[in-house]
Amino acid sequence: MRHVDYSPLFRSTVGFDRLFNMLDTLAQPEGNAPSYPPYNIERTGENAYRITMAVAGFSQDDLTIEARSNVLTVAGGKPEETDQEKREFLHRGIASRAFERRFQLADYVEVKAAELKNGLLHIDLEREIPEAMKPRKIDIKNGKDARQIEAKSVN
């Protein structure tokens, strides 16, 4: 496994800490990455995305979704069973263990909706670029319309 040393870049860049942290995270081997619960990420439009997670056995009350500083965190956990609710499983193939899954979001990506349907959690995301950040057309004036600024000569 190669480790990339970003320290020389820290001397000449400002404000890219998040980018370097994300590159370090992505460089981790897949064996360390959690595989539960399974999920899909799909593009549903030009600036729209959907994350679908298989959360069979979890109710709406067992799940939490939090978006904070470009990180979307989805967590699930079931309350402990009491002695009266204890069951003896002969085979347990449906996992109901607690989980926490984090997704790095690009700038201006916001969570629009979340829906739990048929054991699948759908989270709709949309990138909303502010008007000030969108490209704008600049009018070019010809020489006849341009005003000249006269400078005073200093002797």
Side-chain angles (χ1 to χ4, degrees), residues 141-147:
K141 297 181 181 179
N142 61 21
K144 296 176 186 174
D145 294 339
R147 290 181 16 189

Side-chain angles (χ1 to χ4, degrees), residues 18 22 51 67 70-72 103-107 109-111 125:
R18 195 176 122 250
M22 187 170 43
I51 297 172
N70 294 52
V71 176
L72 173 67
F103 300 93
Q104 294 289 328
L105 301 179
D107 292 335
V109 172
E110 296 180 10
V111 177
L125 308 162

Side-chain angles (χ1 to χ4, degrees), residues 130-151:
E131 284 297 321
M133 300 296 291
K134 290 182 181 177
R136 59 189 178 110
K137 185 175 180 179
I138 308 297
D139 292 330
I140 301 172
K141 297 181 181 179
N142 61 21
K144 296 176 186 174
D145 294 339
R147 290 181 16 189
Q148 287 187 330
I149 300 175
E150 295 181 18

Side-chain angles (χ1 to χ4, degrees), residues 7 32-33 38 40 52 56-57 64 66 70-71 76 80 85 93 117 138 146 151:
S7 57
N32 294 345
N40 294 335
T52 302
T64 59
E66 181 180 292
N70 294 52
V71 176
E80 289 288 323
E85 295 174 340
K117 184 177 180 183
I138 308 297

